[in-house]
Amino acid sequence: MCDKRLWDKALSFFDSSYKFIYLPIPLEEDFEKLLEKIVINEEKINLIGFSLGGYIASAYALKYKDKINKVLVISSSLCSLEKKELLQRQKAIELTKKFAFKSLSEKKIKTLLEDKNNQEIITLIKKMYEELGKEYFLTQLNATLHRKDLKEELLKSKIDFSFYFSKDDILLNHLWLEELELNSSFNFTKLKSSSHMLPLEEPLKIALYIKSWLA
């Protein structure tokens, strides 16, 4: 439930020699159709995906290997949802359909942040969520509810994947990431932080990492 504003601070550290193309997540409840609706005309691109976007970017890369140079996954573990999380999301879908679309509470937003007193970031997260709205919320949840584990496909692919995340991010499956790290030659960068919203909380670190990743 984020839009282009998620990246504004990080991208402000780049000059015109870099070309970034923002790709919104398509409104499509079928995941394969969602991937098909992502239109990328350039060849051998570098994909960067945050959170759900990290999962989608990785699935896209595995489906369209010839288009991809490498992939940077930020704040995302590319596996199936655990049973508890799956049930919570199913309940959220039912409640939203039955009653109304509710905004994120500040309490919930703060669980995503390292700095829980940064009102500017809290306000922005809440604003993006509200402006995307009910249709976007339900479509995203339905499309990605029963997501498959991408580990085996990742290990078989010849694509260069890098993972950048906070070691105490409560939204990630850290055991899954540890097992992937043990069994692959992918690059893993872990910040001493609990932040999920790294492009907002650590824009300079993200920008510097992307520059070194692209070099």
Side-chain angles (χ1 to χ4, degrees):
M1 296 292 284
C2 296
D3 59 29
K4 193 174 183 294
R5 286 170 287 184
L6 174 81
W7 298 102
D8 284 348
K9 287 186 178 181
L11 296 188
S12 70
F13 295 106
F14 292 86
D15 60 34
S16 59
S17 64
Y18 294 88
K19 181 182 179 182
F20 290 93
I21 300 170
Y22 176 72
L23 298 169
I25 297 174
L27 272 171
E28 180 58 64
E29 290 196 2
D30 180 275
F31 189 73
E32 289 303 314
K33 290 181 180 178
L34 183 153
L35 294 181
E36 291 169 6
K37 282 192 174 181
I38 297 173
V39 179
I40 299 176
N41 296 317
E42 290 81 359
E43 292 184 1
K44 291 299 177 185
I45 59 168
N46 301 305
L47 270 179
I48 302 172
F50 164 77
S51 195
L52 175 59
Y55 181 89
I56 293 172
S58 300
Y60 182 92
L62 293 168
K63 186 178 179 72
Y64 301 103
K65 298 179 180 66
D66 293 342
K67 282 181 167 282
I68 308 302
N69 182 28
K70 53 186 176 179
V71 181
L72 172 57
V73 180
I74 301 173
S75 300
S76 185
S77 38
L78 313 179
C79 52
S80 303
L81 297 175
E82 294 182 346
K83 186 176 181 180
K84 181 181 177 181
E85 178 67 15
L86 185 62
L87 291 173
Q88 287 176 341
R89 293 184 183 219
Q90 288 173 329
K91 185 177 180 180
I93 290 171
E94 291 170 6
L95 290 174
T96 302
K97 286 180 176 178
K98 187 175 182 180
F99 298 105
F101 174 71
K102 290 186 178 181
S103 180
L104 277 177
S105 67
E106 286 204 8
K107 182 179 179 181
K108 178 66 174 178
I109 293 171
K110 288 177 180 179
T111 65
L112 309 176
L113 302 176
E114 174 76 10
D115 180 2
K116 302 185 188 308
N117 297 311
N118 191 321
Q119 198 59 46
E120 179 185 355
I121 290 178
I122 291 171
T123 300
L124 175 58
I125 292 171
K126 193 169 186 177
K127 191 173 183 181
M128 288 190 292
Y129 188 92
E130 290 172 350
E131 290 179 4
L132 285 171
K134 180 179 179 178
E135 183 183 11
Y136 210 80
F137 175 76
L138 289 174
T139 303
Q140 279 194 355
L141 282 186
N142 282 316
T144 59
L145 197 59
H146 299 289
R147 65 186 74 171
K148 64 179 179 179
D149 191 317
L150 300 181
K151 184 185 295 178
E152 293 306 315
E153 290 182 66
L154 289 169
L155 294 173
K156 290 176 183 177
S157 79
K158 295 180 180 179
I159 301 170
D160 180 5
F161 281 86
S162 294
F163 294 82
Y164 190 94
F165 57 94
S166 297
K167 69 179 188 69
D168 295 318
D169 182 347
I170 62 170
L171 293 191
L172 302 187
N173 185 326
H174 292 278
L175 178 60
W176 186 91
L177 287 163
E178 288 168 9
E179 290 176 350
L180 182 64
E181 185 174 9
L182 283 173
N183 292 287
S184 73
S185 58
F186 300 143
N187 182 61
F188 291 78
T189 301
K190 306 165 203 174
L191 299 188
K192 292 181 179 179
S193 171
S194 61
S195 176
H196 183 69
M197 308 301 293
L198 290 174
L200 294 178
E201 289 206 90
E202 298 289 357
L204 178 56
K205 286 183 181 178
I206 288 281
L208 292 173
Y209 182 85
I210 291 172
K211 287 179 181 180
S212 65
W213 177 70
L214 291 173

